[in-house]
Amino acid sequence: MISFGEPEGYDDRARPRSLRGRSRIAVVAACVVLGLGLIGGAVTGSWLSGESGEAGSDDTFATARDLWHSIPVDQLFPPTVEGQGAGPGGADRTWTRIAVAPDSGCQNAFDPLLRKALSTVGCARLLRATYTDATQSYVTTVGLLFTKADAAAMSALGKRFKDEGLDSRTDLMPRPYAAKDTVAAGFGTEQRASWTVSVLTDAPVVVYAVSGWADGRTVDPPQPAAEAMKSGATTAPAQAGLGNEAQGLADRVERGLRKTVSSPSEKPS
């Protein structure tokens, strides 16, 4: 568990009511039930597919807000994450978790300007884990920042990130978690090669990942995952597929979070 730190009726003249009328009522009721089911399915589908929407936001916010202390760490950060088609050219990836950071606040997890940008939504809890690829050539820290914000505040932050391109600025990068006695021991701020930051607007969560080489080499300059993954990109992070490492792992951790939120009846073991 993460403990840091879902018989025939009659009318007023005693005559049998028309079966046709009852059938119409039944049809209308069935349509209402079907319609509600379709709406509910659409809301759940949009959440699972990563599409933001106001419908159902109260439920997803309420469910997601407290996940950090009620869900096992292996559910949020699985020991092994499969990334089918997540590598360059659609190659498959497998990531192995090598460390989970101690429960913490956000003070030392982000560069100063990113910390300032995120301050508008507050920091309720930050969970982080570091993974390596199958060859142990790369290391990637993925984080889930559970905020104190409501839907309006998260939407405002998401809009700002999009409009101002905050997720692509090298002075607004998340910091890695360099776990001692692992292949990520030398994964510091100078070793960051690529990163991604995703502000969810249908849950009080910011998902991010930052990647680098496991041998501790420095990178200058680092490149946002969206840029490094573009066809024809020739930078070192792009050629090594480090944009794919960051984006692929962040995407799959986010999908796991969404699946957990959409299945509140599943109790953690």
Side-chain angles (χ1 to χ4, degrees):
M1 295 285 294
I2 296 180
S3 55
F4 313 137
E6 244 186 106
E8 188 171 62
Y10 291 81
D11 61 15
D12 57 357
R13 296 182 182 178
R15 295 177 301 188
R17 292 195 182 100
S18 167
L19 289 176
R20 180 178 297 178
R22 296 177 64 196
S23 297
R24 288 176 177 172
I25 293 173
V27 169
V28 171
C31 288
V32 171
V33 172
L34 178 59
L36 290 174
L38 290 174
I39 292 172
V43 171
T44 300
S46 66
W47 166 251
L48 286 173
S49 64
E51 299 171 2
S52 299
E54 292 188 16
S57 62
D58 289 344
D59 289 340
T60 55
F61 262 70
T63 303
R65 190 177 300 281
D66 296 326
L67 280 182
W68 63 268
H69 61 65
S70 61
I71 298 298
V73 65
D74 287 353
Q75 194 167 333
L76 291 175
F77 299 127
T80 301
V81 177
E82 297 296 335
Q84 185 174 4
D92 294 340
R93 281 286 189 268
T94 298
W95 297 284
T96 301
R97 192 185 71 201
I98 55 177
V100 176
D103 176 29
S104 69
C106 299
Q107 184 174 359
N108 298 315
F110 308 108
D111 281 356
L113 288 180
L114 178 57
R115 185 170 67 247
K116 182 178 180 180
L118 294 173
S119 66
T120 60
V121 294
C123 176
R125 193 65 55 173
L126 176 64
L127 307 180
R128 297 175 293 166
T130 296
Y131 288 77
T132 188
D133 69 306
T135 66
Q136 295 194 346
S137 298
Y138 313 120
V139 285
T140 303
T141 293
V142 60
L144 294 171
L145 165 60
F146 289 82
T147 76
K148 301 177 180 179
D150 58 14
M154 292 301 294
S155 293
L157 182 64
K159 184 177 186 301
R160 185 186 175 198
F161 262 71
K162 181 179 179 180
D163 293 347
E164 300 179 22
L166 301 186
D167 56 350
S168 61
R169 286 176 45 173
T170 56
D171 55 349
L172 284 91
M173 280 195 292
R175 292 176 176 173
Y177 171 57
K180 295 180 179 180
D181 302 320
T182 71
V183 295
F187 190 22
T189 57
E190 298 299 319
Q191 284 70 40
R192 294 174 293 184
S194 192
W195 78 99
T196 181
V197 179
S198 177
V199 180
L200 306 189
T201 57
D202 44 6
V205 182
V206 177
V207 183
Y208 71 86
V210 55
S211 62
W213 277 275
D215 61 9
R217 76 182 73 175
T218 58
V219 182
D220 188 24
Q223 187 176 34
E227 296 292 328
M229 292 171 63
K230 286 183 177 179
S231 177
T234 59
T235 63
Q239 292 294 303
L242 285 164
N244 298 77
E245 295 292 309
Q247 190 67 62
L249 190 53
D251 285 348
R252 281 147 184 82
V253 168
E254 181 180 332
R255 291 178 195 175
L257 174 69
R258 291 179 179 278
K259 182 177 179 181
T260 298
V261 172
S262 69
S263 305
S265 61
E266 294 181 7
K267 302 298 182 182
S269 57

